[in-house]
Amino acid sequence: MICAAAVVVPPAAAADHLVEIDIVGINDFHGRLEQNRQSAGAASLAGAVQAFETANANTLFVSAGDNIGASTFTSFVADDVPTMDALELMDLDAAALGNHEFDRGRVDVDDRVLPAVEDTFPYLAANLYDTTTGEPAYQEYALEEVDGLTVAFVGAMTEDLPSLVSPAGIETLEVKPMLPEVNRVAAQLSDGDEANDEADVIVLLVHEGANGADVADATGATSFGQLVTGLSDDVHAVFSGHTHQRYAHLVPVDGWGADVARPVVQGGQYGEALAHVQLTVDPTTGDLVASEAHVVDLVDDETSELEYPQVEAVQDVVDAAVLEADELGSVSLGTVTEDLFRAQNADGSSNRGGESTLGNLVADVQLWATQDLGTEIAFMNPGGLRTDILFASSGEGDPDGNVTFREAAEVQPFANTLVALTMTGEQVVQVLEEQWQPEGAERAILKLGVAGLTYTYDPTAAQGERVTDVWVGDEWLDPAGEYRVVANSFLASGGDNFTTFADVTAEDRADSGRIDLQAFVDYMDAMSPVSPDLAQRAVGVQLPAAPEGGFAPGSTFEVDLSSLLFSAGEEQGDEVVVHLGDTEVGRADIDPTIVDGTDEVGRATVEVTLPDWAVGTVALVAHVPGTGTEAWFAVPGQLPSSLVPVEPVRVPTPPVVAPDVPVCIQVGGISPVPAEAVGVVLNVTTVRPNSYGHVVVYPDGATGRATEGSTVNFEPGKDVANTTFVPLSEDGRLCYVTRGAPAAGVLLDVSAFLLPDSGVELQASRRLVDTRPSTPAGPYVGPVRNRTPYEVQVTGEAGVPAEATAVLLNVTVTGPTAPGNLRVFAGGDDVPGTSVVNYAPGQDKANLAMVTLSEDGTVSFWSDTPVGPARNPVHVVLDVVGWVTAEAEYTEIVPDRVLDTRDGAKLMAHQERTLDLNDLADLPADATTVVLNVTAIRPSSVGNLRVYPETGGATPNVSSINYIQGRELPNLVVVAVPEDGRISLYSDQPHGGTVDVAVDVVGWFTADAEGPEPV
């Protein structure tokens, strides 16, 4: 098939005085030596050239660049030498340098490529300059004599070269604008000065082209269009490349008249076609009198039969290369369980703007290969993936799933090294933003394969503002933090317009010297069989504008999600579900329509309804069942000014922690705790410690005594719990550390959270009293006497302000020699009948107390045992973890016992008992939270007590008190008040177990005017 455009010879021209010159050209051959589908192969290409030469001795053969690089395995594995040998046998007359000639940098071009072909054809580039000399770095033009006429070929390189190859590899080259440099050379060749060479015909070979087949694409407002329309009238034809398009245009030129036009051609790619230009020149006047332009197919579209015979000498070169490549390429590297694809457009062509299973796998490989360098994140450019990895057999000797060296090499043929870089979190985000390319770039989006991180983005946002949230592993990325990143040497030097990589200093980068292909080989050997990961690592999230103050609890709004699916036909989900914690808040069908050039395949509009208990900024998670895709995004909600109770939620913690090694975790921003929370109420349980010791919980970043107190004191083999109020760091984190036990488990259950201006202020633990002589603090030193009140000033001490009305104390009794209890109460008040800590001989015990202050800001403590005061010395430690002010919607009361099973039936194993708070005469109707002191009395076995709002649902799997057989164990419990005012107590014990329970109400919180319902 021939696509053609022609201007006929004018009648006034005498045919016997004219010279017809045929020029045939290739572009973007990329080492396609063998015949394969529409690629004719080098031998048939040679036959086509010979056919033109036979028809017209005045035939010239040229290339518009990218003869080599990104080649198929047969050429790649031999460093493209067979391709260069074949082109020499075809008598190629001239070639423009293409960007892929520079895949290995300028040194490789200068020292290997040019010497390999210099005896046959020149590589040309008029707009590449040496930065040292300021002179053109390469031959600018070449001259050929044809039937008495001199034909000049001028070369030019795309101005995008620095973004297409490793900038480090061409750091000694300056890429100047094409148009002025080409016109400069054309003017020199047409100035009549024989001393600087003259030409009758000038042809431009340019490695740049139009992005479409219409003439408007070749003459529009692009760098190539400006070149075509701005060329000097001394240039008679243009052979273009780089964009892998087919076109044959005749473009009018001012000053030439209406009877003749300039051919502008490109022959597609991979030796599938020849671009053909015929120029008819009057040798007497030197005028171009006629021109034609064609694209000539080398393979029949319907039958795939070759249109031209194969040249034997060239086929011998191909056969030898195939033989060597088959031997090297047949080595099995491992297996895959399914296809690994690049992203695709709707027509099945490769889409560099979409996330792909192959891109993410290669990023995984590179992260794995550099883990010894401390890398945490990997990036892979989509243009570095040249083909897919297919599960199906390629033929005999290659079973399904087998991955050969040839297949791996065809995916990554560039031999890039892996570079480790130290980057800030802000720089990592900037790299992600640079996926949306600058205006005028060849592609609007280049989607990076990523490993070690996931992120969300808003596809509708402005340039540089699209990335919304980034996680490294399970942690939010810290913009000010430092991360070790790996990328191939092309990306690491700023290729593909990822300029942030280029900004990383030499001190913060290290080339590992490891080749990307070898990393893949090693990975396949270690990890086979390899399967595609169907979890999207980037998801588009478009949130509606929030009303002033945030979305109200119970409100409904729509969220637009995208990039939920891959685009190459992978088996994936068809529905997306959105959760807040364990509560489903919306679901929708996924539209699998591909949006060409983007990563927007897999779109859904989800109607989200917030639960009535959702307050503050809540973290929603969208997931696609069956794929592993999860995307977290924050939604601003209304903020009450109160303490907000929640159904107890367990925070994920390691199963066992080593002593003296802090464990820090994210709590704020993780459902149900909003990002605005300044503190949480935790029930802290130690699980199966193997010796005596204690655990302390504190805000991340705290130092000194805040990390040295005790939240729970434990003993070997016993599960012990205590409630505490813990402030959160500014970024919503807390830490805990165990002391003493070589191994212990720690459980953290959130029962409430505090918001700003709640009137409850928390702080890292500060010591108010320590009666031990070795670590004295406060007014008393020495053993605490039995049944003697000790009054302590609280306001003005340990961070407590004068306006405080109540104090949150972690109360610890150490060194008791007899059983007893400690009571803490407002200074000067009568000793209450309820205890804060119940202790046993030889065991340190701790408990949280919320204690009303006297008018002058004091509390008293009082120790009670059944034996004489001289025989039961104890020491008392009081640590302040917070206080309550008059602004709080909190009411303290004299402890009011609402349950004591010793007056009736014990609580049996697996029995639930209901406590009706409506029986409290003073409890207001708007109470949202009740504060209880709960004591488990002499349980008959191990087990735990659970206290929770009665909802009719499942019993929560979190404990309020963990039993030690025969002991009295109190704990402060903060529990939501449900609408019917009923809470439940459940004893989890082995069959036949019993326990007595005493419950004292010590206070409650009420909602403000716009307060939330309990969670």
Side-chain angles (χ1 to χ4, degrees):
M1 175 180 159
I2 299 179
C3 301
V7 173
V8 297
V9 180
D16 56 352
H17 291 111
L18 302 179
V19 176
E20 288 187 352
I21 304 171
D22 284 302
I23 308 173
V24 291
I26 57 172
N27 58 274
D28 302 281
F29 185 64
H30 292 294
R32 280 353 189 234
L33 291 170
E34 302 164 84
Q35 180 189 1
N36 183 21
R37 294 182 292 235
Q38 296 305 307
S39 295
S44 183
L45 172 62
V49 174
Q50 281 190 1
F52 276 92
E53 291 172 340
T54 300
N56 181 6
N58 297 334
T59 295
L60 299 170
F61 175 38
V62 296
S63 167
D66 278 4
N67 296 328
I68 60 175
S71 303
T72 54
F73 184 76
T74 300
S75 185
F76 158 81
V77 77
D79 289 332
D80 282 318
V81 169
T83 295
M84 291 185 284
D85 289 345
L87 291 174
E88 287 192 294
L89 286 174
M90 296 180 216
D91 290 325
L92 186 67
D93 291 298
L97 280 164
N99 57 283
H100 280 286
E101 268 79 15
F102 287 92
D103 280 344
R104 302 184 189 181
R106 179 183 181 180
V107 171
D108 182 64
V109 170
D110 293 0
D111 295 351
R112 183 181 70 88
V113 175
L114 295 185
V117 299
E118 62 185 356
D119 292 337
T120 305
F121 67 89
Y123 266 115
L124 308 174
N127 64 323
L128 297 184
Y129 278 68
D130 187 290
T131 57
T132 302
T133 66
E135 297 295 324
Y138 296 101
Q139 186 173 333
E140 298 178 288
Y141 61 92
L143 303 178
E144 291 287 335
E145 296 299 320
V146 178
D147 201 3
L149 296 176
T150 300
V151 179
F153 296 107
V154 180
M157 168 69 79
T158 173
E159 295 164 16
D160 293 333
L161 178 65
S163 70
L164 298 171
V165 300
S166 171
I170 58 167
E171 60 186 358
T172 61
L173 291 178
E174 178 187 1
V175 183
K176 291 193 174 184
M178 296 179 290
L179 180 60
E181 297 305 315
V182 171
N183 282 345
R184 172 184 59 80
V185 175
Q188 173 192 320
L189 294 170
S190 307
D191 63 3
D193 185 354
E194 296 290 343
N196 63 14
D197 291 330
E198 291 297 296
D200 300 295
V201 176
I202 299 175
V203 177
L204 173 61
L205 309 179
V206 58
H207 195 68
E208 182 59 281
N211 287 318
D214 294 336
V215 69
D217 297 316
T219 56
T222 64
S223 58
F224 181 70
Q226 292 167 358
L227 173 70
V228 169
T229 56
L231 279 174
S232 160
D233 59 7
D234 295 322
V235 178
H236 298 92
V238 177
F239 281 78
S240 63
H242 185 53
T243 52
H244 295 230
Q245 299 291 324
R246 291 189 184 199
Y247 47 81
H249 303 310
L250 291 173
V251 179
V253 178
D254 290 343
W256 281 15
D259 295 328
V260 68
R262 177 188 291 143
V264 177
V265 296
Q266 187 175 158
Q269 61 186 3
Y270 306 150
E272 297 173 356
L274 276 176
H276 173 222
V277 167
Q278 187 176 82
L279 302 176
T280 304
V281 181
D282 185 335
T284 303
T285 64
D287 292 337
L288 178 66
V289 296
S291 58
E292 296 183 16
H294 315 95
V295 175
V296 182
D297 278 330
L298 303 184
V299 178
D300 186 279
D301 286 339
E302 295 182 359
T303 67
S304 296
E305 295 292 326
L306 295 175
E307 299 281 8
Y308 295 90
Q310 296 173 322
V311 174
E312 184 176 356
V314 176
Q315 188 61 43
D316 288 343
V317 171
V318 175
D319 290 343
V322 168
L323 194 63
E324 181 179 1
D326 283 346
E327 182 177 350
L328 296 173
S330 63
V331 175
S332 176
L333 305 182
T335 60
V336 295
T337 62
E338 296 179 56
D339 296 321
L340 288 149
F341 288 117
R342 297 166 295 168
Q344 294 182 5
N345 289 315
D347 64 1
S349 61
S350 176
N351 168 25
R352 296 187 188 180
E355 185 173 351
S356 71
T357 56
L358 182 59
N360 287 344
L361 172 67
V362 172
D364 288 339
V365 169
Q366 296 181 358
L367 188 60
W368 173 85
T370 54
Q371 56 191 325
D372 60 318
L373 303 179
T375 53
E376 305 162 86
I377 299 168
F379 292 110
M380 177 61 198
N381 59 301
L385 307 171
R386 308 308 290 191
T387 190
D388 305 316
I389 294 178
L390 302 180
F391 175 79
S393 167
S394 63
E396 187 177 352
D398 179 31
D400 286 350
N402 184 44
V403 178
T404 64
F405 181 57
R406 172 193 288 271
E407 290 170 325
E410 287 177 343
V411 172
Q412 294 184 93
F414 301 114
N416 286 311
T417 56
L418 303 182
V419 180
L421 309 99
T422 299
M423 305 178 72
T424 66
E426 184 177 0
Q427 287 177 309
V428 170
V429 173
Q430 189 57 39
V431 166
L432 295 174
E433 291 285 1
E434 287 167 352
Q435 294 176 113
W436 289 269
Q437 295 277 287
E439 186 176 356
E442 183 178 354
R443 293 175 175 87
I445 304 172
L446 290 177
K447 194 75 170 187
L448 295 172
V450 299
L453 66 73
T454 55
Y455 62 98
T456 57
Y457 65 93
D458 182 350
T460 66
Q463 185 83 356
E465 299 176 5
R466 292 186 173 96
V467 176
T468 49
D469 285 294
V470 183
W471 293 264
V472 179
D474 294 329
E475 301 289 333
W476 269 301
L477 176 136
D478 178 5
E482 288 192 343
Y483 298 90
R484 198 68 169 157
V485 177
V486 61
N488 63 44
S489 50
F490 167 77
L491 262 187
S493 296
D496 272 345
N497 296 309
F498 288 93
T499 56
T500 298
F501 284 120
D503 294 336
V504 177
T505 63
E507 293 78 12
D508 286 331
R509 67 172 62 231
D511 193 322
S512 70
R514 303 167 194 179
I515 304 299
D516 51 8
L517 177 57
Q518 187 60 48
F520 190 88
V521 170
D522 295 341
Y523 183 88
M524 292 298 300
D525 180 61
M527 307 300 285
S528 284
V530 172
S531 299
D533 180 6
L534 295 180
Q536 293 285 323
R537 300 177 186 182
V539 172
V541 179
Q542 300 175 55
L543 295 174
E548 185 176 356
F551 291 103
S555 60
T556 297
F557 52 88
E558 289 185 344
V559 176
D560 291 326
L561 302 174
S562 58
S563 188
L564 296 172
L565 303 176
F566 292 103
S567 57
E570 296 89 345
E571 290 189 12
Q572 300 169 89
D574 56 9
E575 190 175 45
V576 61
V577 184
V578 178
H579 279 86
L580 173 55
D582 293 331
T583 302
E584 181 180 319
V585 296
R587 67 171 57 215
D589 292 336
I590 300 174
D591 177 2
T593 303
I594 293 173
V595 183
D596 285 355
T598 75
D599 192 34
E600 297 306 288
V601 59
R603 290 166 292 160
T605 297
V606 185
E607 185 177 89
V608 171
T609 300
L610 292 178
D612 291 339
W613 46 261
V615 297
T617 298
V618 294
L620 302 182
V621 59
H623 69 97
V624 180
T627 68
T629 296
E630 282 194 351
W632 293 78
F633 53 95
V635 174
Q638 292 181 355
L639 279 174
S641 56
S642 65
L643 178 144
V644 181
V646 300
E647 183 175 333
V649 175
R650 183 151 293 167
V651 178
T653 56
V656 177
V657 293
D660 303 315
V661 178
V663 176
C664 297
I665 54 178
Q666 186 74 36
V667 177
I670 305 298
S671 180
V673 181
E676 294 87 349
V678 295
V680 290
V681 181
L682 285 180
N683 196 54
V684 183
T685 305
T686 55
V687 181
R688 294 181 293 280
N690 54 15
S691 70
Y692 289 98
H694 64 272
V695 62
V696 59
V697 186
Y698 54 92
D700 190 9
T703 58
R705 286 208 171 188
T707 69
E708 297 169 3
S710 65
T711 303
V712 178
N713 293 77
F714 51 75
E715 55 187 277
K718 302 292 194 292
D719 296 350
V720 182
N722 190 20
T723 295
T724 187
F725 283 64
V726 184
L728 298 175
S729 62
E730 288 187 1
D731 56 354
R733 294 169 59 84
L734 58 77
C735 302
Y736 66 91
V737 64
T738 62
R739 313 283 190 197
V746 177
L747 304 179
L748 304 180
D749 300 317
V750 177
S751 60
F753 56 83
L754 290 165
L755 294 166
D757 304 320
S758 66
V760 180
E761 301 292 334
L762 302 182
Q763 66 176 17
S765 177
R766 293 182 63 175
R767 187 140 292 172
L768 178 69
V769 170
D770 189 342
T771 65
R772 296 171 295 183
S774 59
T775 54
Y780 306 109
V781 178
V784 173
R785 291 172 292 173
N786 189 29
R787 298 179 180 172
T788 302
Y790 291 75
E791 190 168 0
V792 182
Q793 183 66 41
V794 176
T795 54
E797 303 291 337
V800 182
E803 62 269 21
T805 59
V807 65
L808 294 167
L809 294 174
N810 200 55
V811 181
T812 306
V813 176
T814 72
T817 58
N821 62 78
L822 187 76
R823 310 176 194 186
V824 186
F825 48 95
D829 280 7
D830 294 337
V831 177
T834 56
S835 59
V836 171
V837 178
N838 293 71
Y839 51 79
Q843 289 151 13
D844 298 348
K845 291 298 172 187
N847 196 17
L848 181 72
M850 183 178 286
V851 184
T852 301
L853 297 173
S854 66
E855 289 187 3
D856 55 357
T858 66
V859 298
S860 294
F861 58 90
W862 189 84
S863 176
D864 180 33
T865 67
V867 295
R871 295 168 52 195
N872 64 341
V874 298
H875 287 287
V876 173
V877 179
L878 304 180
D879 294 313
V880 177
V881 297
W883 58 88
V884 179
T885 65
E887 286 74 22
E889 303 292 335
Y890 177 69
T891 301
E892 312 103 11
I893 65 171
V894 174
D896 185 352
R897 180 148 293 177
V898 293
L899 176 67
D900 191 335
T901 62
R902 290 173 295 184
D903 299 333
K906 294 178 181 291
L907 191 61
M908 307 295 292
H910 305 299
Q911 180 186 13
E912 184 178 60
R913 188 165 298 182
T914 299
L915 183 61
D916 192 344
L917 298 178
N918 295 306
D919 295 339
L920 283 170
D922 296 330
L923 185 70
D926 62 346
T928 61
T929 312
V930 65
V931 182
L932 307 173
N933 197 50
V934 181
T935 305
I937 303 167
R938 292 182 296 279
S940 64
S941 66
V942 295
N944 62 77
L945 182 70
R946 307 176 189 183
V947 184
Y948 50 94
E950 185 184 65
T951 61
T955 303
N957 190 30
V958 294
S959 60
S960 302
I961 298 176
N962 290 72
Y963 305 147
I964 298 176
Q965 187 175 359
R967 303 271 185 83
E968 293 188 8
L969 302 160
N971 199 9
L972 196 73
V973 177
V974 177
V975 62
V977 178
E979 288 185 5
D980 63 1
R982 297 161 66 88
I983 63 174
S984 296
L985 295 88
Y986 175 86
S987 182
D988 181 22
Q989 290 177 273
H991 182 71
T994 62
V995 64
D996 277 312
V997 179
V999 179
D1000 300 306
V1001 178
V1002 299
W1004 52 75
F1005 287 87
T1006 54
D1008 60 5
E1010 298 181 359
E1013 294 295 326
V1015 179

